[in-house]
Amino acid sequence: MADAESACSATYRDVVIDFSNGSVFKLNPASPQELGPEVAPLLVPGEQVVACFKAVRDFVVFTDKRLIAVNVQGMTGRKKDFTSLPYSKVQAFSIETAGTFDLDAELDLWFSGLGKVRLEFKGSADIRGLGQMIAGFVL
């Protein structure tokens, strides 16, 4: 039984985005008009896209209810993994602004049942505004 449980959790970890590897997510601000249609089929009635950020292939969409991380897979990029992280499960969060030598900003979110999720943003991202937005949804 223990072998079946570990095999199941290993499979789950392979499918879900590896948020502990921050280098996967060096996010730049992106247009909601560009990325919103990618997640539109996943949205519940009344849910709205608030902000979008894109790496080379992967991207993150913040709605007024959750964070949706999209991991583009394969050579063609047709296969995508959508991970939905509801704000209702956020226990704590922190932001780290860009500095003089460290030009990247970071957002850490602690989710109940999942642990810490870290997203790294290019210095051009408004990390303070993002933190304020998340506070409005979480607090």
Side-chain angles (χ1 to χ4, degrees):
M1 183 67 151
D3 291 334
E5 287 176 11
S6 64
C8 180
S9 63
T11 303
Y12 176 74
R13 277 193 297 270
D14 292 340
V15 173
V16 173
I17 295 171
D18 180 14
F19 289 106
S20 62
N21 183 2
S23 64
V24 172
F25 289 100
K26 292 286 187 174
L27 301 164
N28 287 303
S31 164
Q33 290 77 21
E34 174 192 354
L35 299 177
E38 293 275 348
V39 297
L42 302 173
L43 303 181
V44 298
E47 185 176 12
Q48 296 187 4
V49 172
V50 178
C52 298
F53 296 88
K54 187 170 179 23
V56 175
R57 290 171 41 129
D58 301 335
F59 58 94
V60 176
V61 175
F62 291 86
T63 75
D64 55 351
K65 299 188 183 307
R66 61 185 156 164
L67 162 70
I68 301 171
V70 182
N71 181 8
V72 179
Q73 303 173 354
M75 295 282 290
T76 63
R78 295 184 77 171
K79 183 176 179 178
K80 296 179 177 96
D81 171 60
F82 295 86
T83 301
S84 177
L85 304 164
Y87 298 133
S88 63
K89 300 296 181 186
V90 173
Q91 295 178 318
F93 69 94
S94 72
I95 61 168
E96 181 179 306
T97 60
T100 304
F101 297 107
D102 181 7
L103 301 178
D104 296 330
E106 297 171 359
L107 169 66
D108 290 332
L109 299 155
W110 283 267
F111 287 89
S112 173
L114 179 64
K116 183 170 85 168
V117 169
R118 170 171 281 177
L119 300 173
E120 293 185 14
F121 298 85
K122 295 288 185 180
S124 61
D126 180 11
I127 194 70
R128 287 186 177 107
L130 190 57
Q132 186 176 29
M133 178 193 74
I134 290 170
F137 296 134
V138 172
L139 302 177

